[in-house]
Amino acid sequence: MAEPQESSNAGASDARSEAMPAVRRVAHFLGMIVVGAVIPAAVAAGLVGALGVSALFTGVLWGALGAKLGGTRRMAYVAPVVGIVAGLGAYTAYGWWWAVLLAAVGLLSGVGFRFGWFPVMLMAPFAATLVTPTSSASDAVIFGTVVAVGTGYGIIIVRRFGAPPVVDGDHHSWPVTAVIALMFGGVMGAAASLGVALAWSEPYWVPEPVLILVMYLLLGRRERIREKAVGTACGAAAAALVASVALPAWALTALALLAFLGALMQRKTYWRMYGLYTFALVLYSAAPDDVAFVAEQRGFQFLAGIGLLALGLLAVHAIADQLARRYPQPELAPVAAT
């Protein structure tokens, strides 16, 4: 008669044992939010104000992303460079010197293809592109310093979640590397120059798709170029249609929130995800009377960046294929963890 009771007690014990790891994971995640976001943000705000909070979170993002793509140890070496170019980007944004900076940083990061370091070096153009503009050199120094500190903090966080010390990237001969570096620097400079020449208030939206798509190319997702173009066009067109209805501001904000949540649920279908993201971005960032104008501007900015990257890839493939046949890449020995 006691067997059913023993069986139910065993089942309850198993359920509790299965629930405990889930509880620990949730507690661990909440603890990482507090330690990785809340406390550092409070410290940065107390020391240098809102600029420090923006710089800290920016640095954490670049540090975590670069460590996942290229390894924690390599990203640690690149962290000071990220801080320097972030400070320069903040001081020069968004003028012609900013466009020159993006071209130079793109060229420098492209050289990483010679040694397999391009995945981590890609964080330098990210840091120079997406910045908080500053009006003084001292604020730019503060911004760059906090970005470097945040980058190190991001490396520590992803290392806690098992990121490897080294992820070796592609290696190319010097002639091929030179072609890739010149192309990448030229595309970044051209994208920034287009936004500056047209006097856009947020010209970083032109080089932004270039950087995102280059990251996807590193991950072997070349189809993202076509899907991002389709999603951008659909999202901008949908926002322009909404503008014709003349909805109040609260309704636009609600639609933007719903679209953003929908984008988070469409990760397996990239063009839908990016279409919803573009739609949400336009509705959230535009005043009710300017939705159509912002939709046209954002759509053109994104598509211009995608087009520049596509042209650059066509050119670099045509030249690099000829150079690869002329200068064949020798078989590489295993690279030591550096």
Side-chain angles (χ1 to χ4, degrees):
M1 295 297 293
E3 291 181 359
Q5 183 177 358
E6 292 177 358
S7 177
S8 62
N9 289 339
S13 177
D14 291 341
R16 285 194 299 270
S17 63
E18 291 177 0
M20 286 305 294
V23 172
R24 284 195 294 267
R25 285 196 296 268
V26 172
H28 181 68
F29 180 72
L30 293 177
M32 287 302 299
I33 291 178
V34 173
V35 176
V38 178
I39 295 177
V43 173
L47 293 176
V48 291
L51 180 65
V53 176
S54 173
L56 180 70
F57 284 131
T58 300
V60 169
L61 176 60
W62 305 146
L65 181 59
K68 290 292 289 184
L69 291 176
T72 55
R73 188 180 303 170
R74 287 187 173 182
M75 191 60 216
Y77 294 141
V78 178
V81 178
V82 170
I84 291 171
V85 299
L88 292 173
Y91 186 63
T92 57
Y94 294 109
W96 287 109
W97 282 113
W98 175 71
V100 172
L101 174 67
L102 260 62
V105 174
L107 178 65
L108 175 65
S109 62
V111 176
F113 270 113
R114 181 67 184 98
F115 312 102
W117 279 63
F118 182 74
V120 292
M121 292 299 295
L122 183 62
M123 296 305 105
F126 267 111
T129 300
L130 304 172
V131 296
T132 300
T134 59
S135 57
S136 66
S138 59
D139 286 344
V141 171
I142 292 172
F143 184 83
T145 301
V146 178
V147 166
V149 173
T151 301
Y153 202 58
I155 296 169
I156 294 172
I157 290 174
V158 296
R159 184 178 181 181
R160 178 66 181 82
F161 286 95
V166 173
V167 179
D168 201 34
D170 292 336
H171 293 249
H172 295 287
S173 64
W174 272 117
V176 174
T177 297
V179 171
I180 296 174
L182 289 171
M183 180 278 294
F184 189 45
V187 169
M188 290 297 298
S193 298
L194 180 63
V196 174
L198 295 178
W200 283 328
S201 59
E202 298 171 325
Y204 54 82
W205 288 120
V206 187
E208 184 266 353
V210 175
L211 294 170
I212 296 295
L213 290 173
V214 167
M215 183 182 68
Y216 277 121
L217 289 174
L218 290 177
L219 299 175
R221 306 304 298 269
R222 184 174 294 272
E223 73 279 2
R224 294 294 198 238
I225 297 177
R226 180 183 65 257
E227 294 176 1
K228 195 178 183 82
V230 173
T232 295
C234 292
L241 288 176
V242 169
S244 64
V245 183
L247 295 174
W250 67 267
L252 293 177
T253 302
L255 273 177
L257 179 60
L258 290 174
F260 182 73
L261 293 176
L264 295 178
M265 300 170 62
Q266 296 290 331
R267 289 180 297 176
K268 292 184 178 180
T269 309
Y270 187 74
W271 73 267
R272 291 180 188 171
M273 185 275 287
Y274 204 79
L276 288 168
Y277 167 75
T278 304
F279 180 76
L281 176 66
V282 170
L283 295 188
Y284 182 79
S285 61
D289 295 335
D290 293 332
V291 172
F293 172 76
V294 174
E296 178 184 359
Q297 189 179 76
R298 290 290 180 274
F300 182 77
Q301 288 172 328
F302 292 164
L303 292 174
I306 296 169
L308 287 171
L309 177 62
L311 292 175
L313 289 174
L314 289 174
V316 77
H317 276 299
I319 300 173
D321 286 345
Q322 295 181 3
L323 291 174
R325 287 193 294 269
R326 185 172 182 180
Y327 304 99
Q329 181 72 1
E331 187 70 21
L332 294 173
V335 178
T338 57

